[in-house]
């Protein structure tokens, strides 16, 4: 474009966009008009920086929160479980130490009733020598007065001082609460020539 009309009609301005004689914003290179024109619309918006995605961060935070809850729940569960285990051990120790428990044999008298941890043993039982000369217990019956169905597994010992001179094992099937049943007793020791007492204790 060769029109050299000076923009604004005064001294030669520096290069830039000016309104040419036709009213179009055109580039003035400092000496003459060029073919470069400025579009009439507003300048394009400056590019915006891409928005950061927080999806990964949010997922990580959720996972961390779940882990914290899970660990807290595990500790709570372990605390409850440990407490229950301790209570069970204390209960078992108390039962073992009770009269007739595994750790505390109960002295009994032939033919007389007795009780071991909620099992009521009836009177009328006897100790005998069977056909092979072994010690035997006959007519021993028990009633379950415990809270639940259970079975008896006991040891009846013939004692001479601190020595076990004969041992008879007696068992039952699982006995419903309130039911009476006979014990099955069997021994493999010879009937002792001398003993000073008879004891009974739960096997376990």
């Amino acid at each position: 474009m060769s029109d050299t009309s000076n923009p604004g009609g005064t001294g030669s301005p520096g290069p830039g966009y000016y309104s040419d004689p036709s009213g179009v914003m055109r580039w003035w290179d400092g000496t003459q008009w060029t073919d470069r024109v400025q579009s009439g619309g507003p300048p394009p918006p400056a590019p915006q920086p891409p928005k950061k995605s927080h999806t990964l961060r949010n997922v990580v935070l959720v996972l961390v929160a779940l882990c914290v809850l899970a660990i807290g729940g595990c500790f709570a569960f372990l605390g409850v479980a440990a407490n229950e285990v301790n209570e069970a051990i204390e209960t078992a120790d108390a039962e073992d130490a009770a009269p007739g428990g595994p750790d505390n044999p109960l002295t009994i008298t032939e033919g007389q009733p007795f009780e071991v941890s909620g099992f009521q043993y009836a009177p009328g039982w006897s100790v005998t020598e069977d056909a092979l000369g072994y010690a035997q217990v006959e007519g021993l019956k028990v009633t379950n007065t415990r809270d639940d169905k259970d079975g008896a597994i006991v040891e009846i010992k013939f004692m001479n001082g601190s020595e076990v001179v004969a041992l008879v094992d007696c068992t039952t099937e699982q006995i419903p609460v309130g039911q009476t049943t006979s014990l099955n007793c069997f021994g493999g020791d010879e009937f002792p020539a001398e003993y000073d007492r008879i004891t009974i204790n739960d096997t376990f």
Side-chain angles (χ1 to χ4, degrees):
M1 184 163 194
S2 60
D3 185 353
T4 59
S5 298
N6 190 353
T10 58
S12 178
Y17 282 104
Y18 300 97
S19 177
D20 69 6
S22 64
V24 175
M25 295 299 292
R26 188 178 299 277
W27 182 259
W28 173 261
D29 65 6
T31 58
Q32 63 179 0
W33 294 110
T34 68
D35 292 331
R36 289 173 55 190
V37 295
Q38 189 176 33
S39 61
Q48 297 294 321
K51 291 185 178 179
K52 293 182 180 179
S53 173
H54 297 300
T55 302
L56 179 59
R57 181 200 64 184
N58 293 341
V59 169
V60 170
L61 289 176
V62 169
L63 291 175
V64 169
L66 290 175
C67 287
V68 169
L69 289 174
I71 291 171
C74 286
F75 279 121
F77 172 78
L78 290 175
V80 171
N83 187 52
E84 290 181 356
V85 168
N86 287 336
E87 289 180 359
I89 291 173
E90 290 173 1
T91 300
D93 288 345
E95 290 175 352
D96 289 351
D103 298 335
N104 187 15
L106 173 69
T107 298
I108 56 179
T109 303
E110 182 177 3
Q112 297 300 307
F114 58 92
E115 186 267 338
V116 175
S117 299
F119 274 161
Q120 300 289 339
Y121 291 84
W125 58 280
S126 62
V127 295
T128 63
E129 181 178 347
D130 67 14
L132 298 175
Y134 295 142
Q136 187 57 271
V137 176
E138 294 183 350
L140 187 59
K141 296 182 179 181
V142 64
T143 301
N144 181 7
T145 60
R146 296 181 176 179
D147 295 331
D148 298 303
K149 184 178 183 179
D150 206 349
I153 305 176
V154 298
E155 296 175 334
I156 296 178
K157 298 172 183 173
F158 294 76
M159 303 294 298
N160 191 19
S162 60
E163 180 185 0
V164 179
V165 291
L167 173 66
V168 177
D169 291 301
C170 299
T171 63
T172 68
E173 73 281 3
Q174 292 290 300
I175 311 169
V177 176
Q179 181 174 302
T180 302
T181 189
S182 296
L183 285 91
N184 298 312
C185 297
F186 53 92
D189 295 324
E190 291 184 0
F191 194 90
E194 186 177 351
Y195 62 93
D196 55 24
R197 71 186 189 280
I198 301 171
T199 66
I200 186 170
N201 62 267
D202 288 328
T203 302
F204 53 84

